[in-house]
């Protein structure tokens, strides 16, 4: 209906600026590179783009450590380039979201430099400073036992002023103090309205549930006794004033009719999720929930796990739980996605990623996973490279040499230092990182078969190594081939749009929650029903689709020619429309 907001049935393409397209041969992607590829993006059939941080930054965390909200990282371009990009999107009928990172700044932001300069500086309390605790023997300790997301204590000692500051992420990412209205006003003005005034259509909101901390800063329960510091998500996520803060931010966003998608990790209770996205609450349009993509990670340290450490029954339970938010039973909204810049590639996690030696299985599984994510309800997000089935880095790449993410390297070094007496530990860490590291999603986009995959000039050194498989796996090889993964995504997005009521807003129902090989689910709308059948294994599986399909149906999408109702081939997927 006309009152439905544009974003509910939308597909949104996520761009990681460092790795999308380098226009000037310095090995780093940039804004002119993105502008030059907008026709390609539009040709996919997406409604909008989300651009990861392009702000000025010392790049300790790839731009999620912002030193100036109102400036652009020089290698990416200028504020004028962003203005050009906004206009170029709008000319093509696409919308554009920026990334809003306001839980923390860089330690090089002018606000933090002032804050750390003295205890009496007017901006001292714009960040979170606390005195040390001392043991009976005089040993200095941080205010509590919280672990930072990237390892080590969440508190950093400042020699100069003899206090600790809080950083839930890297040492170079001090947390802003949202308790002060003066700080919040400055954030809204600099990070939010500066860009809304330039005509952007909304924001992806980084770590949206962490702004309000429990001010008594209690110790976290011991989850992993081998760690000095403990994961404390349950204490600092969804804190006491978070919804007050987001309502306040919401007032500004509504003035610009801006759409928001909040990053909402560590929030297992759907009732808590709904507090953020309920239309009545006027806080966020939708959120990214991590139930699905968090599958297979360790409970203490995330990478303490082994490859393929997940089951299909667990995966489908996570899908069922999160789909319940978007089945029309609530006034909230959410997203469907399998990849982003913090995730390994989905073909490597859930399919076959060997595009060179098993091209057929790779291609089929990439299409099967595309059908999976696109037939779930919610706003669909597609991450750059996902549309051509890009894969994780080869498992034999040297981690210290080729991986760049501080999260991966911190974990690797931690295992190296602290688990010396466990002979298998380092090999396990390598295997886990080869499977799940954030680096895999950050490798250069593979445009063609020329050296450096057409991401940058042949003689340049890309900031991250290009995947070895680029001569086989690239946009150019897929763009005119009707059976390619890319062609499949275009068709899938067209079909999703044409049947949005059932694809994007239908009611999900699992048909056999304990099946560990084949995922058959239904989506219901008023007039129609989808039956989605997905083989998550590399073996042929016996099924009984006739029972689910009943009388009149047609096949909307499939990744094999033949379609017997009693079997699915390796990684086969089909979407049927039942009327
Ligand atoms: C979010 C971002 C991630 C970043 C972190 C800290 O999780 O997606 O890339 O490292 O926030 O800003
Ligand atoms: Ca460049």
């Amino acid at each position: 209906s006309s009152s439905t907001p544009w974003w509910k049935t939308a597909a949104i393409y996520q761009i990681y600026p460092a790795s999308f397209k380098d226009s000037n041969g310095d090995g780093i992607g940039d804004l002119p590179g993105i502008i030059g590829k907008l026709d390609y993006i539009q040709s996919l059939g997406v409604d909008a783009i989300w651009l990861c941080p392009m702000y000025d930054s010392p790049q300790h965390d790839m731009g999620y450590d912002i030193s100036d909200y109102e400036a652009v990282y020089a290698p990416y371009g200028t504020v004028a380039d962003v203005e050009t990009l906004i206009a170029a999107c709008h000319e093509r009928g696409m919308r554009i979201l920026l990334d809003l990172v306001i839980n923390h700044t860089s330690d090089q932001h002018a606000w933090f430099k002032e804050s750390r300069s003295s205890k009496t500086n007017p901006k001292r309390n714009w960040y979170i400073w606390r005195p040390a605790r001392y043991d009976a023997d005089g040993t200095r300790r941080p205010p509590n036992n919280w672990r930072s997301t990237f390892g080590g204590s969440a508190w950093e000692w400042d020699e100069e002023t003899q206090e600790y500051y809080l950083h839930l992420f890297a040492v170079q990412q001090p947390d802003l103090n949202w308790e002060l209205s003066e700080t919040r006003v400055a954030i809204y003005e600099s990070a939010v309205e500066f860009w809304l005034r330039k005509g952007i259509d909304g924001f992806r909101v980084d770590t949206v549930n962490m702004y309000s901390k429990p001010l008594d800063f209690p110790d976290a329960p011991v989850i992993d006794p081998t760690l000095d510091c403990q994961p404390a998500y349950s204490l600092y996520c969804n804190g006491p004033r978070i919804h007050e803060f987001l309502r306040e931010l919401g007032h500004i966003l509504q003035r610009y009719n801006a759409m928001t998608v909040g990053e909402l990790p560590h929030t297992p209770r759907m009732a808590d999720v709904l507090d953020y996205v309920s239309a009545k609450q006027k806080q966020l349009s939708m959120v990214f929930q991590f139930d699905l993509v968090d599958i297979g990670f360790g409970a203490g340290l995330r990478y303490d796990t082994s490859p393929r450490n997940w089951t299909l029954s667990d995966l489908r339970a996570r899908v069922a739980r999160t789909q319940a938010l978007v089945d029309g039973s609530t006034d909230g909204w959410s997203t469907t996605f399998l990849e982003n810049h913090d995730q390994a590639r989905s073909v490597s996690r859930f399919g076959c990623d060997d595009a060179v030696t098993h091209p057929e299985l790779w291609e089929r599984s990439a299409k099967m996973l595309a059908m999976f994510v696109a037939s779930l309800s919610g706003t669909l997000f597609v991450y750059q490279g996902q549309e051509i089935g890009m894969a994780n880095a080869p498992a034999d790449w040297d981690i210290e040499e080729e991986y760049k993410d501080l999260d991966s390297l911190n974990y690797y070094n931690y295992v190296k230092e602290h688990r010396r007496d466990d002979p298998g530990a380092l090999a396990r860490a390598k295997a886990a990182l080869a499977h799940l590291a954030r680096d895999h999603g950050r490798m250069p986009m593979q445009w063609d078969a020329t050296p450096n995959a057409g991401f940058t000039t042949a003689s340049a050194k890309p900031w991250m190594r290009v995947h070895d498989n680029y001569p086989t796996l690239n946009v150019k090889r897929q763009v005119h081939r009707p059976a390619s993964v890319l062609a499949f995504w275009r068709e899938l997005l067209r079909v999703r749009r044409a049947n949005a009521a059932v694809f994007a807003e239908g009611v999900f129902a699992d048909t056999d929650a304990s099946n560990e090989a084949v995922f058959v689910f239904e989506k219901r709308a008023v007039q129609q029903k989808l039956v989605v059948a997905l083989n998550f294994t590399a073996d042929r599986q016996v099924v009984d689709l006739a029972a689910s399909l009943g009388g009149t149906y047609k096949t909307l999408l499939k990744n094999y020619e033949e379609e017997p109702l009693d079997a699915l081939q390796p990684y086969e997927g089909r979407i049927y429309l039942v009327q």
Side-chain angles (χ1 to χ4, degrees), residues 61 64 101 104 150 169 173 204 206-207 263 341-342 438 442:
D61 185 23
Y64 284 91
V101 188
H104 42 264
F150 298 142
F169 293 89
Q173 291 168 301
R204 177 266 190 180
D206 192 62
T207 59
E263 185 197 29
H341 65 293
D342 294 330
R438 307 198 299 180
R442 301 177 175 191

Side-chain angles (χ1 to χ4, degrees), residues 259-336:
M259 168 274 197
T260 46
V261 50
E263 185 197 29
L264 196 73
H266 310 293
T267 307
R269 289 185 56 236
M270 287 309 124
D272 293 339
V273 178
L274 191 57
D275 287 339
Y276 290 85
V277 294
S278 156
K280 272 198 303 291
Q281 298 272 349
K282 297 193 189 309
Q283 293 177 28
L284 301 169
S285 313
M286 67 188 86
V287 287
F288 292 122
Q289 298 168 256
F290 288 84
D291 304 61
L292 182 52
V293 293
D294 274 349
I295 194 169
F297 280 93
L301 296 189
R302 278 167 62 75
Y303 301 116
D304 279 356
T305 182
S306 54
R308 306 247 161 197
N309 184 19
W310 58 276
T311 61
L312 189 60
S313 59
D314 185 10
L315 181 139
R316 56 208 304 164
R318 291 163 186 254
V319 170
R321 192 162 73 229
T322 46
Q323 286 287 291
L325 202 110
V326 283
D327 67 359
S329 64
T330 77
D331 71 338
W333 196 244
S334 193
T335 54
T336 172

